[in-house]
Amino acid sequence: MNRGKITFGKINLKTPSATSSNVAEANPPPSDDTASGFGSFGRMEAATQDSVERISQDLDNSKLQEVMGISGFGRKLAKQFDIDEMIQKAKQNAPKPVVDEKSLAKPEGEADEDDDDDGDVIGPIPTAAGAAEGSSGTRGTKEHLQNDTDDSDEDDDENDEDEFDEDAPINKLPHSHEVEMRHGNKAVIALASDPSGVRLASGSMDYQLNFWDFSGMDKSMKSFRSLQPCENHPIRNLYYSFSGDMMLVVSGSSQAKVLDRDGFEKMECVKGDQYIADMSKTKGHIAGLTSGCWSPIRREEFLTSGMDSTLRTWVFAKTKEQHAVIKTRALGGLKTIPNSCAYNRDGTLIAAGCSDGSLQTWDTRKMFVHTTHCIRDAHTKGADISAVLFSYSGFQLASRSMDETLKLWDMRAFKKPLHVFDGLYSRYDTTDCCYSPDDTMILTGESLPKDAKQAHLFVFDTKTFELVSKLPVTDSHVIRTLWHPKLNQIFIGCGNGTIRGLYDEKRSMRGAKQCVVRTHRKKKESEIVGTTQIITPHALPLFRQEKTRSLRKKLEKERLDPVKSKRPDLPITSGQGGRVASSGGTLSSYVIRNLGLSKRVEDDQDPREAILKYAKEAAENPYWIAPAYAKTQPKPIFNSEDEPEAKKSKTE
């Protein structure tokens, strides 16, 4: 139910005449039906209700004006705000625009086009004087601004072309600086680095395995350990585990070895029985190994491939037998030798490149009876596939062969290669390839051609398949390439026994970069003289020979000797000012007090008095001169007062 509002008449604060008229308009004379008094009780009209609300607002404004002492408030203040006057003041204060004289001669036909673009010009409004000159001045200003904009756009385009493009593949390649590490005289055919990038291991045809430590190596670039882990067998492949605590050594023998970080042997695989025809029944390889790698997901599992046409998985703790055997078969069921093998990044696939030119893969989650993928004509038959490598993303597979080609394969469409890079001459069956950390580039080396002077490192783009760079490396063969993702450095194993390290001053971290700035510290030379010891237990101490001691004990004994060890003076715990200041303000005072005088003499004492102080003691207790002349010293005769007058000298 709607109830009517109670009204008490209309109140107006204006002049009396206006008030009376408004009241008369707002409140007509009451009819006979309404009661006289304060107003009428009942429903008001809409106009009457609006007028009441407006009057109440005016009343509130007048009260605030009286309290705060201001002239306008609310709606009245807004009415006094003159926008036209403010625009005129802004026009007068605005600076005059620069008018190009050439633009004044612009045809009148173009004025309409420029006038349509008035909203695009940003800047001060032209003055009235400029507007009185006509639209030609405005046209000149707009044309001048447009010309400046076009010139700036052209300059920006030129600057963008000259700027350094970080996303370009050639700029991602760390090759601004180079270091050289000498392994030996034979070709370096194996190269590996631990995941942290602290250690680098290299193996060559001279059976040597060298360890390089970047954290302790100086600019001389010398390895800290060299050994022959597999006797007289060349080191074909090295592979650090993904935790970095173990390293797999694959040599020309049939037994792979696992070493720790410092090169000490921890495991040796067992050799199989050569008189068993079925390779799955033997406990290990019976022929020389070709390659090997660690599993990326199972810490203690690794894979080896051998010339007995098998791939075998091993577990580190079990040394007496392999874990699984995979047989590689050619077309028709004949045996074929796997020259290279690799895991993918998830550890779900094992890939092998065989000597018949085929690429074969197996799923680790199934039985190794049938292949998951098999391409018989991947490379030329009879040319060994020297390397197979999965990309970091796992979608691509790269295969390097001795048929002078490098092929990229898509694992989602494994029937045809994505691209074939040819003209890559190779003489070594261990020539490999490597991906960049972001999978945008792939690197591989070439053997030195017959008439060439330098071998190159080829860098290809994996998306556009273009040649990014062709870097000359050495005057010998380029065999191994390793791009460490954490250090962002490239290590290259060469045929002349050297290892080249490429890095960038800004993009690379630690590794060979920190070794270049370290100076070589010369070690203390220890002189060792070999003498024959003669045991004489009853010899006199003068002729007794000292016992031979080790160099360490000898150095420890010399360390305790303050003279031999050149120990500095110990600090004075008591007093103030140190050794020199305790005896005087200068060094000369220190020398005088401690070295020049046996007795202390105060600075303010008379020297003559200090000497005569000991005259009586020297006469009573002679020590130096008087005892020496005691027998031969004549008796002294002194002048006395009783001397005769004849001997007296004449004074006249």
Side-chain angles (χ1 to χ4, degrees):
M1 179 177 179
N2 296 329
R3 296 181 179 179
K5 295 182 180 180
I6 300 175
T7 59
F8 295 94
K10 186 168 183 178
I11 303 173
N12 199 346
L13 299 177
K14 296 183 179 180
T15 57
S17 60
T19 301
S20 59
S21 61
N22 291 336
V23 171
E25 293 176 359
N27 296 328
S31 59
D32 297 335
D33 298 334
T34 60
S36 60
F38 291 98
S40 60
F41 294 86
R43 189 181 301 275
M44 292 192 303
E45 296 180 358
T48 305
Q49 186 175 358
D50 293 338
S51 61
V52 171
E53 292 178 356
R54 187 170 62 253
I55 291 171
S56 63
Q57 291 177 359
D58 294 338
L59 181 60
D60 295 336
N61 292 340
S62 62
K63 291 181 180 179
L64 288 174
Q65 291 175 9
E66 294 176 0
V67 173
M68 300 178 66
I70 57 176
S71 58
F73 191 81
R75 295 181 182 177
K76 295 182 180 180
L77 183 61
K79 290 179 181 179
Q80 295 177 2
F81 198 81
D82 193 358
I83 299 175
D84 296 332
E85 184 178 357
M86 295 178 66
I87 293 174
Q88 292 298 330
K89 291 182 180 180
K91 289 181 179 181
Q92 295 177 2
N93 297 330
K96 296 182 180 180
V98 179
V99 181
D100 193 0
E101 296 180 357
K102 296 181 180 180
S103 62
L104 298 177
K106 190 176 181 181
E108 296 179 359
E110 297 180 2
D112 297 334
E113 297 177 0
D114 294 331
D115 292 336
D116 295 335
D117 299 331
D118 289 341
D120 297 336
V121 178
I122 299 173
I125 302 174
T127 57
E133 291 177 2
S135 62
S136 61
T138 308
R139 281 200 306 269
T141 304
K142 293 178 180 178
E143 184 179 1
H144 180 70
L145 294 173
Q146 187 174 2
N147 292 335
D148 293 341
T149 306
D150 295 338
D151 295 337
S152 62
D153 293 338
E154 293 177 0
D155 295 336
D156 293 337
D157 294 338
E158 294 177 0
N159 294 332
D160 292 338
E161 293 177 358
D162 297 337
E163 286 180 356
F164 181 77
D165 189 8
E166 295 183 355
D167 296 333
I170 187 61
N171 295 329
K172 295 181 181 179
L173 192 67
H175 65 287
S176 61
H177 294 72
E178 181 180 356
V179 295
E180 180 179 340
M181 295 176 282
R182 190 73 187 177
H183 176 92
N185 298 323
K186 300 274 182 89
V188 178
I189 59 175
L191 207 61
S193 179
D194 64 341
S196 62
V198 178
R199 295 261 174 109
L200 180 72
S202 60
S204 70
M205 298 288 291
D206 58 358
Y207 325 132
Q208 293 289 334
L209 172 61
N210 286 6
F211 288 90
W212 315 79
D213 190 356
F214 293 117
S215 60
M217 191 165 52
D218 53 17
K219 64 181 180 180
S220 62
M221 293 292 174
K222 293 182 179 180
S223 61
F224 75 93
R225 181 159 296 164
S226 179
L227 52 98
Q228 290 186 7
C230 302
E231 297 179 352
N232 295 332
H233 294 282
I235 310 299
R236 292 185 57 87
N237 196 4
L238 299 172
Y239 209 102
Y240 271 95
S241 63
F242 284 84
S243 59
D245 57 343
M246 294 181 290
M247 185 178 65
L248 175 65
V249 180
V250 177
S251 64
S253 67
S254 60
Q255 296 173 275
K257 290 188 178 182
V258 177
L259 309 180
D260 61 359
R261 284 179 57 86
D262 297 325
F264 298 101
E265 184 177 329
K266 299 185 70 174
M267 173 191 172
E268 184 180 12
C269 297
V270 68
K271 185 178 180 180
D273 192 347
Q274 298 178 355
Y275 299 99
I276 297 178
D278 190 0
M279 291 296 101
S280 61
K281 301 299 182 180
T282 60
K283 297 181 180 180
H285 290 282
I286 64 171
L289 301 178
T290 56
S291 183
C293 60
W294 285 91
S295 173
I297 57 173
R298 287 175 285 275
R299 180 176 177 270
E300 296 183 348
E301 181 181 330
F302 59 91
L303 173 71
T304 57
S305 62
M307 299 183 72
D308 55 357
S309 303
T310 59
L311 294 140
R312 299 174 189 263
T313 59
W314 305 79
V315 178
F316 174 72
K318 300 178 181 180
T319 61
K320 295 184 179 181
E321 190 176 359
Q322 74 272 345
H323 182 261
V325 181
I326 305 172
K327 297 179 182 179
T328 54
R329 298 292 183 183
L331 188 63
L334 300 177
K335 292 183 179 180
T336 181
I337 298 174
N339 297 104
S340 57
C341 59
Y343 279 98
N344 66 342
R345 302 297 171 180
D346 299 332
T348 57
L349 279 180
I350 294 176
C354 304
S355 59
D356 63 339
S358 64
L359 282 175
Q360 303 179 26
T361 63
W362 295 267
D363 194 342
T364 57
R365 297 165 293 186
K366 301 178 181 179
M367 298 293 291
F368 299 118
V369 178
H370 301 288
T371 58
T372 306
H373 306 89
C374 183
I375 302 177
R376 296 295 178 184
D377 56 349
H379 288 275
T380 305
K381 186 177 182 180
D384 295 339
I385 298 177
S386 57
V388 289
L389 180 66
F390 285 93
S391 63
Y392 287 93
S393 61
F395 297 127
Q396 281 190 4
L397 175 69
S399 61
R400 179 75 163 93
S401 177
M402 295 186 69
D403 60 357
E404 302 183 8
T405 60
L406 170 66
K407 295 185 179 181
L408 295 180
W409 307 83
D410 191 351
M411 298 304 299
R412 296 163 290 188
F414 201 53
K415 294 182 179 181
K416 293 183 179 180
L418 290 174
H419 192 77
V420 178
F421 304 101
D422 53 2
L424 304 173
Y425 176 60
S426 174
R427 291 183 57 187
Y428 288 86
D429 58 352
T430 56
T431 304
D432 66 346
C433 57
C434 69
Y435 278 95
S436 63
D438 55 355
D439 285 341
T440 57
M441 290 177 285
I442 187 168
L443 286 71
T444 187
E446 65 167 357
S447 297
L448 185 67
K450 186 175 181 181
D451 299 331
K453 294 182 179 180
Q454 279 189 329
H456 296 82
L457 177 68
F458 291 86
V459 184
F460 299 103
D461 196 330
T462 57
K463 296 181 180 179
T464 61
F465 310 118
E466 296 179 355
L467 179 62
V468 176
S469 180
K470 183 179 178 183
L471 303 176
V473 178
T474 180
D475 56 353
S476 182
H477 313 288
V478 178
I479 304 172
R480 287 285 183 175
T481 54
L482 173 65
W483 190 332
H484 199 283
K486 193 170 183 179
L487 301 180
N488 195 22
Q489 298 178 13
I490 302 173
F491 300 99
I492 305 168
C494 304
N496 55 1
T498 60
I499 302 171
R500 299 278 181 173
L502 304 179
Y503 66 93
D504 189 85
E505 191 68 25
K506 297 181 180 178
R507 295 175 177 266
S508 300
M509 297 173 59
R510 299 189 300 275
K513 179 182 175 182
Q514 65 181 358
C515 299
V516 178
V517 298
R518 289 201 188 104
T519 58
H520 177 64
R521 260 186 99 177
K522 189 176 181 180
K523 294 184 179 179
K524 182 180 179 181
E525 296 181 358
S526 58
E527 297 181 358
I528 301 176
V529 180
T531 58
T532 303
Q533 185 179 6
I534 301 173
I535 302 174
T536 55
H538 302 290
L540 296 175
L542 180 63
F543 303 103
R544 191 173 297 170
Q545 188 177 2
E546 293 183 1
K547 295 181 181 179
T548 57
R549 297 183 179 181
S550 63
L551 180 61
R552 182 178 178 182
K553 291 184 178 179
K554 182 180 178 182
L555 294 176
E556 290 178 354
K557 185 178 179 181
E558 291 180 354
R559 181 63 180 169
L560 299 176
D561 190 355
V563 178
K564 292 183 178 180
S565 63
K566 299 178 181 179
R567 186 186 68 182
D569 293 338
L570 298 177
I572 296 177
T573 57
S574 62
Q576 296 180 356
R579 290 183 177 273
V580 176
S582 62
S583 57
T586 60
L587 181 61
S588 60
S589 63
Y590 170 78
V591 174
I592 292 171
R593 290 181 181 277
N594 295 276
L595 302 179
L597 299 177
S598 60
K599 301 293 185 178
R600 289 186 174 273
V601 178
E602 300 296 333
D603 294 338
D604 55 348
Q605 187 178 2
D606 188 11
R608 185 173 180 275
E609 294 178 0
I611 295 174
L612 293 176
K613 184 170 57 176
Y614 301 99
K616 184 179 180 181
E617 183 180 356
E620 293 177 355
N621 300 317
Y623 185 77
W624 294 107
I625 300 175
Y629 297 97
K631 296 180 180 181
T632 61
Q633 181 71 22
K635 294 181 179 180
I637 299 173
F638 299 101
N639 189 10
S640 62
E641 296 180 356
D642 299 332
E643 187 177 358
E645 297 180 0
K647 294 183 178 181
K648 291 183 178 179
S649 61
K650 296 181 180 181
T651 58
E652 298 180 357

